[in-house]
Amino acid sequence: MVAVTLGPEGTYSHRAATAVADGDEIDFRQSVTAIVDAVAGGEYDRGVIPIENSIEGSVTESLDALAEYDVAVVREIVTPIRHALLAQGPEFDTIASHSQALAQCRTYLEREYPDATLEAVASTAQGVEFAREDPSVAGIGHPANADDEPTLEVLAEDIQDQDSNATRFFALAPAEERSKGGGKSSLVVYPNANYPGLLLELLEPFADRDINLTRVESRPSGQRLGDYVFHVDFEAGLYEARTKEAIEELEELAENGWVRRLGSYDTEHVVE
């Protein structure tokens, strides 16, 4: 089973993807959209993308890609995020990492390196690569990256603002592998409407059936200002009668738009 995730090797996405690939090949892309596109087109069996961080919230590129492409979510992977500052030595003037990693370490960076230039790059691993190539650059990534890069030192560990920092990843598959069984499910809803009480109407089918919503988020549809797509995660399988009834109501409310079932799945915790 060949999987694809954010590269280069050593990203947190790569660490999550190892649980999906189970020893098989892992390829890399430089954007979430490219990963989702490759899985939707059948180029890969699985794709792994970040969805939500406990400090910085949702990864908007992932949400937008799930609304644009028809793929299945088949697993949820939760992994703790342990950020370390990696460099060739203590003298540097730039800190490079993924924008979310920089934000997750904001307090530490402002306190310890207030004069450093913060450079957002495509991934944590790319920031580590820059640090390996340039002594004036430090990277932020998992401390194990220093094991793979003998030229780098771990200058500080666990520099994230919150010890409980964790990220959710979705394992994606081609749409035909969508499952109805699992402890959680995800939908994308585009009502193509805007009127008072719309959001309440979209949520009531779940509340009426005691279905716990674990995340509700809106993203601009791109069609017009004030028009939104809604991402909904909930604790029930698509096979359940109460879920089917709730979705039927949603489809009636979104008769001018659409409801996409991303699938049902179980959650796995990866603690490495």
Side-chain angles (χ1 to χ4, degrees), residues 182-186 211-212 234-240 242-243 264:
K184 293 181 68 176
S185 300
S186 292
I211 298 175
N212 184 40
F234 55 90
E235 292 179 333
L238 291 175
Y239 71 93
E240 296 184 44
R242 58 178 181 159
T243 304
S264 297

Side-chain angles (χ1 to χ4, degrees), residues 93-113:
D93 52 35
T94 298
I95 301 173
S97 195
H98 190 276
S99 58
Q100 283 231 344
L102 293 172
Q104 291 161 20
C105 302
R106 184 181 295 113
T107 300
Y108 172 84
L109 296 176
E110 289 177 351
R111 184 182 68 245
E112 300 294 334
Y113 298 97

